[in-house]
Amino acid sequence: MLKLPSELAVSQVEELHQHLLQELETDQDVCVDVSEVSRIDTASIQLLCSLQKHLFTVSHKIIWYGQSQALSHAVEELGLTDFLALDGTN
C-alpha cells in the first residue's frame, strides 16, 4: 500500500511518480492511503489521474483507503470525482 504524505505539491510529484511506478510493477490494483493528505495541488491530482487512466487500460483500479477532505474537495473542484472514483465505485 502506498501511503501519501500530508502535503502533495508539485515539488514532490517526481518522488510520488517513482513510488507509483513501483506499485505498477505488481500488475495488480494499486492501494493508496490518503488518510493523512491535508493539502494537494493540481499537479499531484494529474498524476493520480494518469495512474487511474493507465490502470483502466490494464483492467485494474486504484483502491482508496482512508478519507481526505482536502483531496475530495480538490478533486471535486476539478470535476474528477467520478473519474478517480473516490466514492469507492470504480
Side-chain angles (χ1 to χ4, degrees), residues 6 8 12 18 21 23-24 27-28 33-34 43 45 47 49 68 70-71 74 79-80 82:
S6 61
L8 283 168
Q12 297 156 313
Q18 293 304 316
L21 287 175
E23 291 293 319
L24 288 175
D27 194 32
Q28 299 176 7
D33 183 346
V34 298
I45 293 171
L47 184 57
C49 286
S68 166
L71 176 61
L80 296 168
D82 289 341

Side-chain angles (χ1 to χ4, degrees), residues 1-77:
M1 179 178 310
L2 177 63
K3 186 172 186 82
L4 298 182
S6 61
E7 294 193 16
L8 283 168
V10 69
S11 60
Q12 297 156 313
V13 167
E14 179 59 33
E15 182 180 345
L16 177 58
H17 182 250
Q18 293 304 316
H19 289 296
L20 293 173
L21 287 175
Q22 290 174 351
E23 291 293 319
L24 288 175
E25 289 177 5
T26 65
D27 194 32
Q28 299 176 7
D29 293 343
V30 174
C31 300
V32 179
D33 183 346
V34 298
S35 60
E36 292 188 12
V37 175
S38 61
R39 184 174 163 266
I40 187 164
D41 69 3
T42 304
S44 301
I45 293 171
Q46 287 175 319
L47 184 57
L48 293 173
C49 286
S50 178
L51 171 66
Q52 185 76 302
K53 183 177 178 180
H54 171 76
L55 290 171
F56 282 153
T57 66
V58 294
S59 301
H60 292 294
K61 60 186 175 185
I62 298 173
I63 298 176
W64 303 102
Y65 286 91
Q67 301 256 328
S68 166
Q69 279 190 318
L71 176 61
S72 295
H73 179 72
V75 167
E76 184 177 332
E77 287 286 313

